[in-house]
Amino acid sequence: MPEPTKKDETPNGQPEESVAPDSNGALPLPEISLEVSPPPDEDDAAATTPSPTPQPDDSVPLPEMGRKDSVWSLGDGQAPEDLDKPIDTPPRSTLLIESPQSASMAVGGDISFVAKVEAKDLLRKPTVKWFKGKWMDLASKTGKHLQLKETFDRQTKIHTFEMHIIKAKENYAGNYRCEVTYKDKFDSCSFDLEVKEAETGSQNIDIRSAFKRSSEGQEDAGELDFSGLLKHREPKQQDDAPDVDVWEILKNARPDQYEKIAFMYGITDLRGLLRRMKKIPKEEKKSEAFAKKLEPAYQVDKGGKIRLVVDLADPTVELKWYKNGQEIRPSPKYIFEHKGTQRIMVINNCSMNDDAAYSVAAGDEKCATELFVKELPVKIVKGIEPVKTTVNERIELECEVSEEGAQVKWMKNGVEVPTGVRSRYRVKSEGTKHFLVIDDASREDTGTYSLMASGGTSEAHVKVDLKPLKIYQDLQDMTVKLGQPLKLHCEIYPGNVPGRWYRNGQLIQPNDRITIIHRNKVHRLEIEASSLHDAGDYTFVPEGYSQSLSAKIHIIDPPRVHLDSLNFPDNMVTIVAGNKLRLEIPISGEPAPRVVWMKGERVILESGHRVRAETYGDQTSLTIDITEREDSGNYKIVLQNEAGEATASVKIKVVDIPDPPEAPLVPVVGGDWCSMTWEPPKYDGGSPILGYFIERKKKQSSRWMRLNFDLIKETSFEPKKMIEGVPYEVRIFAVNAIGVSKPSEPSKAFTPLAVTSEPTMLVVDDVTDTTVTVKWRPPETIGAAGLDGYIVEYCIEGANDWVVSNTELTEKTKYTITGLTPGSKILVRVRAINAAGASPPRTLQHSVLVKEVIEPPKIRVPRHLKQTYTRRVGEAVNLVVPFMGKPRPKVTWLKEGNPIEPTHVSIRNTDCDSIIFIRKAERSHSGKYEMTVQVENHVDTAIIDIQIVDLPGPPQCVTIEDVWGGNVALVWTPPKDNGNSPITGYTIQKADKKTMEWFTCIEHYHRTCITITELVVGNEYFFRMYSENMCGLSEAATQTKKSALIVKEGISPHDTAQHQYHAQPHSFTLPPTGMQMKTHEFNDRDFKEAPKFTQPLINTFAIAGYNATLNCSVRANPRPKVIWMKNKIAILDDPRYRMFSNQGVCTLEIRKPSPYDGGMYTCKAINDLGEAQVDCKLEVKGGFTFYELMQRGVPLHLIDKYMNEHKIVEQEK
């Protein structure tokens, strides 16, 4: 709907020529020439609030219903001062009975605007919205400066809507609009507010700051400005002086460029800008082509004619007219006239399409204007006349309006009449006449009909009455047999009147059985097959009439028993014993029949105690309070009435839980399971057995445990997960559809016992020409039955006959099968036997050839015997040296190449090792023992070095070499007897001659000379010395023969006793004043020396998987840095190696070496004086042992092959 604010009207109420919108629908600013000067004051500029680029219709305020301070021209020659004259108020709209009026006020004042809507024809409150400009909804701006209020007067039925503006500011001025909406109705009213202020002298300010956007969050936030609808921006610091002269730019720009310039320089209050420009004195710019340009805007009524006139300064200039940028060609619509210097374009029969922007170009100059086409309201010329008719008649409502082709609305009771394809209403128009047609009128069409046009409304009342009712044929009473069709018939006038059928006051709806027919005057009710429920009083009521037609229907029926309603197959009723049975059977018959229940020849009476029969209404029942098995049988029902007799029979079956089964049998027992069987119960309770539940318990316990939760259909079961060796009992429950029986008697007690698992690690231990010796290990699982022994069986390869080798069980895990044929191949297996039986057999994987195999001898020297075996005198020596070889090797021992005396050393040989035993070792037992193992021509030897050590003897001679100050120098010679072990050090002790209590000065001293220091002056000391080896200190000590006296300086040596060493100066001088001692100067001994290995590394053999150590000793001062290397590569941060150094002894430990760890190892010692290194070779013997191969189950011949190959490789090395 067009907005009233878009058009202006003159004071006489006639439309004037005005400018038209451009092609995009926005009204461009008029083309004017302005003398632009800065705004008059800063306060006015600061009061402006930011707003988006406004549309031209609200960019300049309008007085009353026009634009008061607009600079537009409204028609030819209208003076600008005429704009301030009041104009007539337009006609009142269909919703607003009072519209808000334009007003003016001073800054800081209050004002109210009121709009009223009459609610007489409205069903609910209308919706009212207040706008500023075109789009800003003021409902979101309410606050301390704006308030909206709504009231309703119930007596006058008028809604009042008020808008209050409090403490107005200058930027509140502008165009406002009030919109009213109710369903499909719409009305609006535009009004202006002018806020006046005191003018002050103009001063130079930046136009951009005068019309800039206000900051968010300040005191004015929430007022009537556009800032809340724009994107939030941070306030920017304005420059003190403008960069450009925007006034000059606006002065020289066309009005249609104002929006672009304002957006470019951040000026958003375009309305305030235009207000400022109006107050600036205008400077007319003389046009070279036009003596008089087009007016800024023109207005014309729809269908009218408009003349656009320009006066040319040069009549010879070519002139072109444009509409929305498109050139206009002469036509009956557009006529061009020439009158002197005037050029005129006449637009005939103006329509809404002519509402546009027009321009004329003369050479390079151009002037433009806008044409507004005003649409006149459509008025009612001839109103609608009231209509009174009857149903089924045709109704045609006619109304004539003032304009042909006008848009109108037909309403019924205030609601628009639907005019769709399926609607009962048809709308048509012929010229200025409009028609509403109802072809087949009904009573619902009664109401008030109205036609709404833009200039008025016409309404009239339409009343539709019924036609008088005439009955041509009434309903007739009928008697119908049950099941026969029932038809009711009547005829009434008018024929097109529908009606409703009722039975006993209840509405009858058509369905599959009941058919209701209406054809013209005839109304029929047909029932295909009558039933007893169809009997009663039937009534037909014509719709819309108070009259009715009625008839009575009677239904008769012979007696019948309806057993089908029981839904039991073969009419058999099954009931669980002990429950109450109430069997209700529907019966029918008219009149009600007499009922008799019978079982056999016995009649069941209604007065029975436990079993009784009852009849009432349309059903009969048989009741048995507590059913028993004897109640099973056939029951007969006899019905009799005047229409006939009917009989039926019902079979009743009483079912119960089954009897308990007999005690189950347990024929087979396993380690944790058993197998049990049983017989079904003799009586199944009248219902098939569905399955069984099994329970078990320990014999000593009373707690039964259910073994299955799903029924078992069979009569056998295998309980599992029982504890071996514990006696158990089992029992059975039978289950049918009724329930679970009582438990059966428990079975006889049984004890689960399991055979052991098969023996493990069965290997061949020895083979001769007639025997095979096998050995094995016990089973991993034995169980509660224990292990009684083993059975060894064998069979010839290729045969399946296993022969038991031992007639009696053997408890050992080794057995020799004898009596075999030389050269044959046999398979051997072993079974473990206990009380539960024989275990699964363990069988050799490969056959065994009965032939003795020669195995070369091999001595397996223990690791600790590969180096010197050391023991102390008196300790026992017991060495076991294992060896291999088949047949049994011959073992001989030699000491230093001579046979060993049996009286000194005991030797005992077995099949696989040799033991050398010395009960009490003596030093004479030390030496190298050579062991020789021989099998035929194959020989293997090993040397064992035995060292028997004892305590060493004391040093030979200890002498005091020198005494000076508090020091004594001692010298001695090593002992003659070192105890068969290197001397590792000496212990020196001292004793005061007075007390002769010995105190240790130093222990573990390695050299044969020493200086004892820090002796007490005046004391006389004796010294003694112990030698030390790996067994400990010598039993005796060697003491100095003389003592050492520590004397003070200056005392004459003659004062001391004879045979004593004393501290005295080496030279004396006797000066005149007294005796003075001159001490001898000694040079400090230089103990520094380069590294020197006192014990080298020894080539070593290591066994794969066993830790190995390499040892050596080094002497150096200062302490050397020790580096270990493998194959000339330093060993650094390798977790497989550990290095130690203690008192010069260097040790390298190799953790669990592998053949890869073999090679050349070097120990290198470095200090400032030099370096030294020693080397050794480490060989790691890898592979599996004989025992490990047997554990892995490798056949004996493959073990022999592997060991022989390994021995050849070692011999080659």
Side-chain angles (χ1 to χ4, degrees), residues 759 762 774 776 790-793 828-832 840-843:
L762 175 63
V774 294
W776 60 91
Y790 302 92
I791 291 179
V792 181
E793 300 174 317
V828 182
R829 69 182 184 184
V830 180
R831 294 176 181 266
R842 168 67 72 177
T843 307

Side-chain angles (χ1 to χ4, degrees), residues 23 321-328 333-334 345 347 351-359:
S23 58
W321 293 85
Y322 297 90
K323 174 184 177 182
N324 291 336
Q326 300 293 329
E327 186 178 357
I328 303 175
K333 176 78 172 179
Y334 303 99
M345 182 180 68
I347 304 175
S351 64
M352 297 305 296
N353 292 331
D354 297 320
D355 193 299
Y358 293 84
S359 61

Side-chain angles (χ1 to χ4, degrees), residues 54 73 88 103 120 129 159 194 228 307 596 838 1025 1061 1150 1174:
S73 295
D88 294 340
K120 181 174 65 175
K129 292 184 178 181
H159 291 277
E194 181 182 8
R307 298 170 74 249
V596 177
M1025 195 163 305
Y1061 287 95
I1150 307 172
V1174 289

